[in-house]
Amino acid sequence: EVRRTDEHIERWLVARDSFSAKDPSIMIFNEDFLTQFSGTPRIGFPVFETDKFTPRQLAAMRSCDYLLTPTVWGKRVLGLNGFTNVHVVNEGFDPEQFPLIENLILPKNEIVFVHIGKFEVRKGTELAIQAFTQALEGKRARLIVKATNPFMQNEGMPEMQNCLLRLGYNRLDFIGASFYKGELRVDLLREFHTGKDLQEATYACADVGLFPYRAEGWGLPVMECLASGVPVIAGLWSGPTEYLEAFHEPWYPFLLERSELVIAEDGVWFHGDRGKWRNPDMAELKAAILYAHENARFVRAAQEFQDAVRLFRISFTWRNSALRLEEVLREICGL
């Protein structure tokens, strides 16, 4: 028998003996399931990516007394869907798990990109691989991809491998974890047990993060990349605008602004009934990748970027999230 000890879980197990349905209760989960908890008041905390909800999701959220959302964008979406008792509580990162990476010794003749996110159409993993390949053909560069999906057979690795083979890559080794095409290389990584392990294998090796998402409710990997001191190529839309807006300056050339608004549909998790998301403009995305190949290290070394990252690290910690949540609970519960 394997037993994992966790002080937070142990404390929760003890506290459940004194549970009262008269106590405030928060459920952080998918919108569909926000009827399945009790408390007074009942506070739902859904994190969504698009601008519309199904009738079932709307009914579940209406059963809550209050709703929390991590972004102003999310509050606006909820407002357009008729919700008024909404409070913004940002998500965050753990500074101990993701310390600021300084004094890097990166390869002189290879620029390294990193893409992290659950493998699905919304996250844009295949789009990242395609744009990286087309933008940098004939140049030397590497793309580190950690995009396993626990809800897919073999975590989506066969799909990513097939994407690379269709683009003309060859396997670099017998386990199929690395692929090459000319001077380009793509490494597919699996899961990590801690944030530090993830950072050491990805952000600590990278010059720039590549996140061509179609929609995000918050975007933890995007912010963890920035918190590590690594610039990101990312779209200025949906949830990440909450923290990317601070980088929307002339000295930061990697934010994507052009996109096509389309029905959110992938045939797996999105079926056209949950509004729209944005397809990044391919020409703008490839131009950003090409520019990053030549200039990412200059941007990273710029004082303006370093100052913005340090302010970002102060602003978006989990501690700040907890303090904001406490503030909201005091307001809601009249404490």
Side-chain angles (χ1 to χ4, degrees):
E1 181 181 353
V2 177
R3 178 180 173 83
R4 178 177 294 177
T5 301
D6 185 296
E7 60 177 308
H8 302 291
I9 294 177
E10 296 295 332
R11 188 167 63 249
W12 175 79
L13 290 172
V14 172
R16 69 177 179 172
D17 294 333
S18 59
F19 170 80
S20 170
K22 296 181 180 179
D23 292 334
S25 183
I26 300 174
M27 187 176 195
I28 306 173
F29 207 42
N30 184 281
E31 308 91 273
D32 298 77
F33 302 97
L34 291 181
T35 57
Q36 301 178 12
F37 72 114
S38 59
T40 309
R42 296 173 61 257
I43 305 167
F45 197 157
V47 180
F48 47 87
E49 301 88 12
T50 52
D51 58 0
K52 185 180 177 182
F53 304 98
T54 66
R56 173 176 170 171
Q57 290 172 333
L58 288 170
M61 289 191 291
R62 286 176 186 141
S63 76
C64 298
D65 298 302
Y66 298 90
L67 292 175
L68 306 181
T69 178
T71 68
V72 171
W73 170 82
K75 182 176 181 178
R76 185 167 61 250
V77 170
L78 289 168
L80 291 173
N81 283 272
F83 294 95
T84 56
N85 291 335
V86 182
H87 296 263
V88 175
V89 177
N90 291 155
E91 293 187 40
F93 77 100
D94 184 342
E96 293 185 6
Q97 293 285 309
F98 297 94
L100 182 62
I101 302 169
E102 298 179 292
N103 302 320
L104 285 181
I105 303 177
L106 295 168
K108 291 182 179 180
N109 57 352
E110 183 182 59
I111 299 298
V112 181
F113 294 74
V114 62
H115 169 81
I116 297 179
K118 184 177 63 177
F119 179 73
E120 60 174 282
V121 171
R122 177 176 63 83
K123 295 283 188 179
T125 299
E126 291 197 28
L127 183 59
I129 295 172
Q130 180 183 350
F132 167 83
T133 303
Q134 294 177 357
L136 301 180
E137 187 170 1
K139 300 183 182 296
R140 183 168 186 179
R142 180 158 57 111
L143 174 62
I144 299 173
V145 177
K146 209 297 289 181
T148 50
N149 187 331
F151 302 106
M152 295 179 66
Q153 188 173 8
N154 296 315
E155 300 180 319
M157 291 292 281
E159 285 80 1
M160 285 185 278
Q161 293 172 354
N162 289 335
C163 172
L164 288 162
L165 294 175
R166 287 196 302 270
L167 289 170
Y169 282 84
N170 298 294
R171 297 178 191 271
L172 188 63
D173 54 43
F174 293 104
I175 61 172
S178 296
F179 294 76
Y180 70 94
K181 181 180 182 181
E183 292 292 302
L184 298 179
R185 172 174 167 173
V186 178
D187 296 332
L188 303 181
L189 308 184
R190 289 190 178 271
E191 287 294 333
F192 297 93
H193 295 296
T194 69
K196 282 187 175 180
D197 292 337
L198 173 66
Q199 187 190 55
E200 289 175 2
T202 57
Y203 308 135
C205 308
D207 292 285
V208 62
L210 180 55
F211 299 97
Y213 47 76
R214 291 171 168 86
E216 284 283 6
W218 178 258
L220 280 174
V222 185
M223 74 169 316
E224 289 166 354
C225 190
L226 276 174
S228 300
V230 181
V232 299
I233 297 172
L236 199 59
W237 51 77
S238 64
T241 53
E242 190 78 6
Y243 48 87
L244 289 180
E245 191 64 48
F247 293 86
H248 194 203
E249 300 287 348
W251 49 262
Y252 191 80
F254 299 141
L255 293 182
L256 308 175
E257 299 188 66
R258 299 201 303 269
S259 63
E260 179 187 9
L261 193 62
V262 298
I263 297 295
E265 187 170 13
D266 62 8
V268 182
W269 289 282
F270 293 84
H271 302 280
D273 57 350
R274 290 164 60 186
K276 298 180 179 180
W277 59 28
R278 292 187 177 275
N279 282 337
D281 181 84
M282 193 63 167
E284 184 185 31
L285 175 58
K286 289 193 291 186
I289 292 171
L290 184 59
Y291 188 86
H293 186 268
E294 305 298 329
N295 299 283
R297 294 183 184 180
F298 297 108
V299 172
R300 186 171 186 167
Q303 191 62 52
E304 294 91 340
F305 177 71
Q306 294 181 14
D307 290 344
V309 166
R310 287 184 170 85
L311 180 59
F312 173 89
R313 287 182 58 84
I314 294 170
S315 304
F316 291 101
T317 64
W318 283 121
R319 175 176 173 77
N320 285 347
S321 301
L323 291 172
R324 170 59 181 160
L325 179 57
E326 180 181 6
E327 177 185 321
V328 169
L329 286 175
R330 289 185 182 279
E331 178 182 343
I332 287 175
C333 302
L335 301 177

